[in-house]
Amino acid sequence: MSSVSTRTYRSELRAQQAQGTRRRIIEASAALFATKGYQATTIAAIARSAGVSAETVKAAASKAELLISAFEVTFSGSEGAASLTETEVIAGVLDLPDDTFLDTVLTQVAAANARAHALWTVLLGAALSDAVVDDALQGMLKRRAADLIQLVTVLVDRGIAAPTVDVEGRAAVLSFLLSPEAYQQLVAQSGWSPERYGRWLRDAVAEELGKG
């Protein structure tokens, strides 16, 4: 193996190790934030759970940044995606035929809400007192709105939804129906089963899309 190849191999290995370490830190952060909340979760606790030093955690990201990444990765599988179409939640769904398109979208979003609803609640609370979290939250909400406007447009174009002149209004309704907040209230707080939530979601979205 040449010296250049050796350096390249070592560089790639270090990069993989760094990615693995960051993933462990984010996963540890997600578990702690979801169970203990934002204020009670410390960098030291994250470090212990991830099996790294506190200095390594601090070098990876701030506490606020870890909460943001923890939610993004738990919900969508990706950090900092500009749209859900770039994540595991929706990637490839736009290529599905009409008869499976909407059901797949709803199934994927419901699963994402089940994974991440607790972290979303923590994120909302932290945004009240942390400017970094609040800025990230506002960005997430803007991206959610844009994604749902795109979804409504696609559904109308495919003939799955009735035509509408108020695309943004319909997208706003879907934003509520598809939100982690709805899952939190119906399943975590009201005790619905995930199956009942899934049926409600399909019926509610179908009713909204059927309006002229």
Side-chain angles (χ1 to χ4, degrees):
M1 184 180 293
S2 69
S3 60
V4 173
S5 297
T6 300
R7 287 195 298 272
T8 300
Y9 171 77
R10 289 175 178 171
S11 177
E12 292 175 349
L13 181 60
R14 285 195 296 270
Q16 291 174 357
Q17 291 172 336
Q19 289 175 356
T21 298
R22 180 172 180 82
R23 189 75 180 193
R24 290 202 312 276
I25 291 171
I26 291 173
E27 289 174 351
S29 300
L32 289 168
F33 285 134
T35 56
K36 296 183 177 297
Y38 186 64
Q39 297 301 331
T41 297
T42 64
I43 293 296
I46 293 171
R48 285 194 300 272
S49 181
V52 299
S53 68
E55 289 70 23
T56 299
V57 174
K58 292 176 183 177
S62 68
K63 182 176 171 179
E65 291 167 338
L66 287 174
L67 173 59
I68 295 160
S69 294
F71 172 76
E72 290 177 336
V73 170
T74 302
F75 183 85
S76 72
S78 303
E79 289 185 71
S83 168
L84 277 183
T85 58
E86 300 175 3
T87 72
E88 297 172 8
V89 176
I90 300 297
V93 174
L94 291 175
D95 298 325
L96 293 175
D98 294 346
D99 60 344
T100 60
F101 175 76
L102 181 57
D103 188 64
T104 301
V105 170
L106 298 182
T107 298
Q108 296 286 77
V109 171
N113 286 339
R115 291 192 302 269
H117 68 92
L119 281 170
W120 180 253
T121 301
V122 174
L123 191 76
L124 293 177
L128 297 175
S129 59
D130 191 305
V132 173
V133 178
D134 183 58
D135 184 63
L137 173 62
Q138 299 313 312
M140 291 177 191
L141 293 174
K142 288 180 180 178
R143 290 191 295 275
R144 182 203 286 184
D147 282 339
L148 288 168
I149 287 172
Q150 180 185 11
L151 175 60
V152 170
T153 301
V154 170
L155 291 170
V156 171
D157 290 344
R158 285 174 176 248
I160 299 172
T164 179
V165 293
D166 187 10
V167 172
E168 291 186 2
R170 180 171 280 175
V173 174
L174 291 184
S175 181
F176 168 73
L177 296 177
L178 298 173
S179 68
E181 295 98 314
Y183 185 97
Q184 172 75 17
Q185 181 174 339
L186 295 174
V187 179
Q189 295 178 11
S190 298
W192 283 20
S193 67
E195 293 74 22
R196 183 179 180 185
Y197 163 77
R199 292 192 299 271
W200 166 82
L201 184 61
R202 284 168 176 77
D203 291 345
V205 169
E207 180 179 359
E208 175 60 27
L209 296 180
K211 294 177 181 177

